[in-house]
Amino acid sequence: MNKKTIRDLELDGKTVLMRVDYNVPVDGQGHITDDARIRETIPTIQYLFDAGAGVVLMAHFGRPKGQVVPELRMQRVSKRLQELLLRDVQTSTESVGLEARAMAKSTAPGQVLLLENLRFHGEEEDNDPNFAAQLASYGDVYVNDAFGAAHRAHASTQGVARVMKSQGKPCVAGLLMARELESLSGVLSEPKRPFVAILGGVKVSDKIGVIRNLLPQVDTLLIGGAMSYAFEAALNREVGTSYFKREDAPTALELMHLARDNNYDLRLPSDFIVADRDAQDAKTKVVKAWEIPPDMMGMDIGPETVKVYTEIIRGAQTVLWNGPMGRFEVAPFAEGTRAVADAMATATNNGALTIVGGGDSAAAVKQMGLADQMSHVSTGGGASLEFLEGVELPGVAVLDDAV
Ligand code: ADP
Ligand code: MG
């Protein structure tokens, strides 16, 4: 990792302005259903307190599109943060302005202030320099601990850091951000071999950059999930009523050519679980990849594929997984995804480095109770994909380089 972190700074008596990702899922009543994103910033905040700093937090919640939406106020998040931190959390009713400024200025060491939802201002996503300058005046040090938002060049992820940098103030990564970057860059820089990547999920077009970037680096790349049917269609095989994008087929074909011409080991499923419809009580059967019936849909990788894929995964020293193998949210189609997660857990126990990226893949691993058996489960869906494409994330690029 080539960026400075809060561990590199003298923070006693400083006010730290920190971007966090508190965009947590809520139910119909607005109750937080998963507080992992808040929970995972606690070590960073605690570290800052122990180092003698006061903390001003910036975050966004939902999509208020530049307007004040009362249901999207940070109040609930603030309450949960308070419960997790076991400390009083101040909350301002605006993200910039006289009140916010006064509250930020009076944030003493060991105190924390959470600013109101940044996206109540269109200026946040527009990366407006004036908005950024106002926020920048609330701290002596900029910290970004929001890996999940680092692929966006917004005011709080890039503009504020630019302003503070120009004022000679340090801009560094928080502990959560550092852990994300260390894990992902560790995989790509000098992976222990065999290095296996598993790519699944829905759209080839979303992940083509990742596949293209990984193919030359990995020993084997395994394809699964709905994107398999784009490859099947590209081979002119029947795909029945499988969920896939017809316009992805040429991209899939291009990737197969790339693999063939360079001797890259790109694997497709050899069999599938097909169903008459997408439902718990659907009629299902196992078919060869080239025998999908015209009136059925492919919902998961089949048992033969599971056997081949899991053997390859268990024998790997580095495993990177993005995208479920099937429609895992529906029980009869969860087996392929579960088997991959299990094989990765075994690989971890055998000393392999195992990384899971992607929002739905992370959810699958959690749902299966295997998250703590992976070396790292990334908190940033889109950000981890862009990282794996080899794109430099604007929210990371702007941070101070380690010397
Ligand atoms: P991630 O968020 O991990 O990057 P994606 O968003 O690309 O993954 O894809 C996840 C979704 O793909 C899941 O909701 C899953 O149900 C769906 N999916 C995977 N395989 C299939 C399939 N064969 N048919 C329909 N949906 C599928
Ligand atoms: Mg997803």
Side-chain angles (χ1 to χ4, degrees), residues 22-24 26 30 59-77 115-120:
Y22 286 170
N23 195 20
V24 289
V26 291
H60 80 275
F61 182 47
R63 297 171 182 273
K65 304 220 170 86
Q67 282 171 30
V68 176
V69 177
E71 304 82 69
L72 296 179
R73 287 199 178 279
M74 299 306 294
Q75 206 73 54
R76 268 202 197 82
V77 169
L115 297 174
E116 187 53 281
N117 193 340
L118 293 167
R119 292 201 187 165
F120 284 178

Side-chain angles (χ1 to χ4, degrees), residues 19 58 124 126-128 132 142 144 149-165 171 392-399:
R19 177 62 154 102
M58 310 179 275
E124 159 66 358
D126 293 343
N127 200 357
D128 179 85
Y142 174 83
N144 193 339
H151 57 315
R152 309 272 184 234
H154 293 165
S156 64
T157 58
Q158 191 198 52
V160 174
R162 277 197 181 145
V163 174
M164 292 178 73
K165 240 184 166 156
C171 299
E392 189 168 42
L393 310 178
V396 175
V398 75
L399 302 178

